[in-house]
């Protein structure tokens, strides 16, 4: 499973266990600030990547968040 797919599955857990694809938009799926913060905290715990709320919201899709996580892991 790719990191984008892992992120999509993680989002699905917080979005009423719905199917989420790597290119699905967080806000179109019903995401809100509380859910976003929970996902950001979980990503920090499980993947060791610190995401800002702003970066998370601008990314909007699991695939783009996965790219941010990869960058965070590599320290760039």
């Amino acid at each position: 499973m790719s990191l984008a797919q892992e992120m999509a599955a993680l989002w699905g857990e917080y979005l009423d266990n719905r199917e989420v694809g790597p290119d699905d938009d967080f806000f179109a799926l019903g995401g809100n600030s509380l859910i976003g913060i929970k996902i950001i905290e979980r990503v920090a715990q499980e993947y060791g990547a610190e995401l800002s709320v702003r970066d998370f919201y601008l990314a909007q899709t699991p695939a783009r968040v996965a790219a941010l996580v990869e960058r965070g892991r590599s320290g760039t």
Side-chain angles (χ1 to χ4, degrees), residues 1-9 47 62-63 65-70 73:
M1 180 182 293
S2 73
L3 186 56
Q5 291 169 320
E6 290 178 30
M7 288 295 123
Y47 297 92
V65 169
L68 292 174
V69 169
E70 286 295 339
R73 285 177 168 172

Side-chain angles (χ1 to χ4, degrees), residues 2-76:
S2 73
L3 186 56
Q5 291 169 320
E6 290 178 30
M7 288 295 123
L10 176 66
W11 287 25
E13 290 179 34
Y14 289 96
L15 295 166
D16 298 325
N17 288 315
R18 67 170 50 186
E19 287 289 320
V20 176
D23 296 314
D24 288 344
D25 182 277
F26 179 71
F27 297 106
L29 294 170
N32 60 44
S33 59
L34 182 59
I35 293 170
I37 289 169
K38 288 179 180 180
I39 292 171
I40 290 167
E41 289 174 350
R42 183 99 173 264
V43 167
Q45 290 173 351
E46 293 187 14
Y47 297 92
E50 298 293 328
L51 301 175
S52 72
V53 173
R54 181 180 189 278
D55 286 345
F56 179 84
Y57 289 157
L58 289 175
Q60 293 184 329
T61 69
R64 290 190 203 132
V65 169
L68 292 174
V69 169
E70 286 295 339
R71 275 184 274 183
R73 285 177 168 172
S74 67
T76 58

